[in-house]
Every structure is written in structure tokens, then in C-alpha cells.
Amino acid sequence: MKLTLNTETLTEALRPVGRHVPTRPDSPAAAGLRLTATEDTLCLIAAGDPATSAGTALPASVHEVGTAVLPGRMLHGLARTLPAGQPLDITVDERFAHLQFGGTRISIPILNTDEYPRQPDLPKAVGTVAGKVLAAAVHQIAVAAGADDTLPMLTGIRVELVGNTLKLTATDRYRLAIRQIPIQRTVRRAPAARCVIPAKALRATVSDFRRAESVTVGLPAAEGQRFSLSTGALTVTHRPLDAKHYPDIDKVVPTSFATQVVLERAALIEALTRAVAVARDYVPVNLAVQPGGPVVITGGSRDEGRTREELTARSAKGEPIRISFSPGFLLAGLRVLKSRSVQLDLTTEHRPAVLHSPGVDRAELRYLLMPVRTASDAPAPN
């Protein structure tokens, strides 16, 4: 194999593909990147990680066609050191790949091509979404995903095709985030499909697609198939998590509320941040809502520092209520909302509360929090 291409072109192509090279490969060959030169194209494939794969194609002047597997992390690291805008010659013999530009020549060993894992088959495309919208939605939803590896299905984001929307959901049992984004379906009668993808991996992937005007989404239609995102020459796949017992979200989301209050987002964040500074983020904060009066926020305990703040509500209607939350969870939801004001929809002090931007439809971000029971909630002794 022998070819010439631009150093900057190679560096840009390796950036999204190289991150999918496994850190703990199952075999020496799996630690590689497969390069295939055909006619005027160089294809880069990272398929050594059983959970994820990536591939792209870039223009090249191919002098001799062929395939070679090069150490992935070595090549990825070298590409970041290459000077921009210079011609790079790559020549592969039986043992080494030789990279040459200017007066520099670098030789790196090649890996066994026959032992390299096969790239997984792509699922059927269900539609296209805007890359910027997808990236923003995933980052908003991911804050509610779990971090407990003993419950792997809760560490993921559920991706679901619902009508003409792509519905994203994440929960760790104590909070829940839901966001729907429009999708241009590729076929009118595409069956409803869903899967759960590791949140950390999906966040990294969508960052590579955020500048794409159109991203093609592939959802698995059968067991063993992958989830995929594609734009231009770049394709990334993820193996779904086992989510047979994923929580029934529809049963959790309240549909009617006893109290609704709208507050300035920045003021609420500042009040909660001060409460955390005084009493740490695991000490619940209490919100007392009295329509017609201020919203009183208290934090801390008798044995430690305490805070008490009054916030003027933009609007408050319904029944008076006193409810407690984990300040860390509430802050996480507030930070992913970008509106100047936020609305809290409340039912009772023991049922989930819904946090969202006021005046938006159900397709926008909704963040649900389970209230925290405090000592004052305990029944009186007999």
C-alpha cells in the first residue's frame, strides 16, 4: 500500500475515529486502526472495541491499493504532532508503515490484518436530525443518567422513535430527564424502535456531529444490531445496553399538578449554591411555596450552618406546599435549562416535581425530581 495525502486531512479524520480505539483490547490486533486504500480514497476503521466502532473516508492519491492495520493510539498521537498543510507519504511493507513528510521519516510496526475484528453491520436508518440540536439534547439529558455500574441500564440514555420525533430519556431512579427533538423520517412507516446507549459514550460521540447540518440515525430493529450516527463519510456505532427492565417512564410522569411556581433561574441557582456552601450538597433544601407570598428556601440543619432566603416568584398559583429536594440534583436540572426563568410543577410533597422552562410545549426538556423525605416528614410516635 502506498499513498499521499494532506497531513491536516489525516489529523482531522483521526480525531473522531481514534477515540474509539480500545484502551484494553481483547487482542493485539484490536488495538489497531485499519487503513484501506482504494483508488482515490483512504478508509479508516476503528472496530477493535466490542461496544463501539467508527469509520470515515478521506481523499488521497493512492499509488498502490491495499489494507494495513496500524497501532491506533500511536497513529492517533502522531497525527496530532504533524505540521498542518503538508503532503504526507504513507508506504506499507511487510513489517512497517513508513510516514514521510519533508525531511522527517517515521516507521511504525503493523499489526495482523487477518486478526482484526470485522466492522459491525449498520442498522436501518430511521431518519435525520440536526447535529447541533442532537448534541444539545444529549448533553441536557445525560445529567440524569446514573453512575452506578451495578445497574448498567440506568447509566444510559434511551433513544426512541416516536412519530416524527426522537425521544431521549435518562434516569437514575431519583431524577428523570426527557427531551424530544424533531426527526425527518426516511420512510413513512418506519416501525417504532428504541434502545439504550451508554450516556458517557453518546455524549462524546455527538460532540463530533454538532456541526453537521444533517445526521442520519440508525436504530436497531433486532437483537444484536447496533445504534448508529452518520454524516458525510463519518459513521459511529454503539452496542446498546441490555434494557429489558428499563423503568416504565410514562407511569412516573405526573399529568396534573396542585401548585405551579415560576422563578428567576439565576436567583434560584444562587440561593441553592449558597445552601450547598453552608451545608454540603447532600443536605436537603426546603422550598415553601405560598401563592401570593415569597418562596422561602431553607437549607442546613440545627447542628450545622443554616440558610434562609426569600425569592419573589414571577407567578405562583395553586395550593401552598412545602417540599424538599437534593440540592445537587435540583442544580443539575437548572444548569441544563437555558431560559431566564424556570417553572416548578408540584403535586404533593412526596410525589415527583417537574422542572422546565415556562411556556414551552411537551417536546422541550422536562426534568423530574423525586422529593426527599426529611425528619419533619416522619410520623409522630405513638
Side-chain angles (χ1 to χ4, degrees):
M1 186 173 74
K2 187 175 182 180
L3 60 114
T4 302
L5 72 166
N6 187 280
T7 53
E8 194 169 355
T9 302
L10 179 63
T11 300
E12 285 300 309
L14 280 170
R15 182 181 56 79
V17 176
R19 71 174 50 155
H20 294 274
V21 176
T23 55
R24 296 179 180 178
D26 294 337
S27 66
L33 280 168
R34 190 178 70 197
L35 283 66
T36 301
T38 57
E39 298 182 354
D40 57 355
T41 302
L42 176 65
C43 294
L44 301 176
I45 301 294
D49 191 330
T52 181
S53 72
T56 191
L58 55 154
S61 298
V62 178
H63 313 300
E64 294 180 11
V65 300
T67 298
V69 176
L70 278 58
R73 295 198 170 272
M74 184 186 298
L75 183 61
H76 191 206
L78 279 173
R80 293 197 297 266
T81 71
L82 297 176
Q86 289 197 23
L88 171 67
D89 294 321
I90 300 178
T91 304
V92 178
D93 58 28
E94 293 182 356
R95 296 182 56 197
F96 291 93
H98 308 283
L99 285 66
Q100 186 168 348
F101 57 92
T104 302
R105 180 181 173 89
I106 302 170
S107 298
I108 59 178
I110 61 174
L111 304 176
N112 192 325
T113 305
D114 295 334
E115 295 180 359
Y116 195 72
R118 185 178 67 87
Q119 188 179 18
D121 296 332
L122 294 181
K124 185 175 182 179
V126 296
T128 60
V129 297
K132 182 179 179 180
V133 175
L134 176 63
V138 168
H139 281 80
Q140 287 178 316
I141 293 298
V143 299
D148 185 357
D149 291 334
T150 63
L151 294 170
M153 68 178 176
L154 297 183
T155 65
I157 294 175
R158 189 174 73 176
V159 184
E160 183 178 6
L161 182 66
V162 180
N164 292 321
T165 65
L166 197 66
K167 184 178 180 181
L168 308 176
T169 307
T171 182
D172 61 0
R173 294 181 298 174
Y174 307 107
R175 51 186 169 165
L176 164 68
I178 305 172
R179 173 80 192 272
Q180 290 180 237
I181 61 176
I183 184 169
Q184 185 69 39
R185 293 176 66 148
T186 52
V187 290
R188 288 185 178 181
R189 296 185 178 181
R194 66 174 61 169
C195 62
V196 178
I197 307 302
K200 184 177 180 180
L202 188 56
R203 285 187 65 180
T205 294
V206 296
S207 296
D208 293 322
F209 290 85
R210 66 185 183 278
R211 294 188 179 90
E213 292 185 7
S214 178
V215 178
T216 300
V217 180
L219 287 174
E223 188 174 351
Q225 289 187 348
R226 296 283 185 110
F227 166 83
S228 71
L229 295 175
S230 305
T231 184
L234 176 63
T235 297
V236 177
T237 74
H238 291 282
R239 183 179 63 189
L241 297 169
D242 183 359
K244 294 178 182 178
H245 303 292
Y246 196 83
D248 188 346
I249 301 303
D250 294 334
K251 291 183 179 180
V252 178
V253 182
T255 56
S256 60
F257 305 96
T259 308
Q260 295 176 312
V261 58
V262 178
L263 296 165
E264 290 284 349
R265 187 174 74 97
L268 183 54
I269 288 177
E270 289 174 2
L272 293 171
T273 303
R274 284 188 284 267
V276 170
V278 170
R280 302 174 188 164
D281 60 0
Y282 57 81
V283 178
V285 292
N286 309 302
L287 278 69
V289 181
Q290 178 73 45
V295 175
V296 180
I297 301 175
T298 56
S301 65
R302 295 179 180 179
D303 300 325
E304 298 182 358
R306 287 179 288 175
T307 60
R308 183 185 188 278
E309 303 202 29
E310 294 185 358
L311 299 184
T312 301
R314 283 197 167 189
S315 69
K317 57 185 179 180
E319 301 296 325
I321 189 172
R322 182 181 181 276
I323 192 168
S324 302
F325 295 109
S326 161
F329 288 173
L330 184 52
L331 278 169
L334 289 167
R335 286 169 179 153
V336 295
L337 289 168
K338 301 303 180 184
S339 53
R340 295 185 62 182
S341 58
V342 293
Q343 180 170 325
L344 267 170
D345 296 335
L346 309 169
T347 51
T348 70
E349 64 271 22
H350 302 311
R351 293 198 62 203
V354 180
L355 176 68
H356 60 94
S357 299
V360 300
D361 60 35
R362 291 175 62 85
E364 293 296 331
L365 175 67
R366 287 176 293 160
Y367 189 84
L368 281 71
L369 300 99
M370 288 300 299
V372 177
R373 290 180 179 267
T374 62
S376 60
D377 296 326
N382 294 328

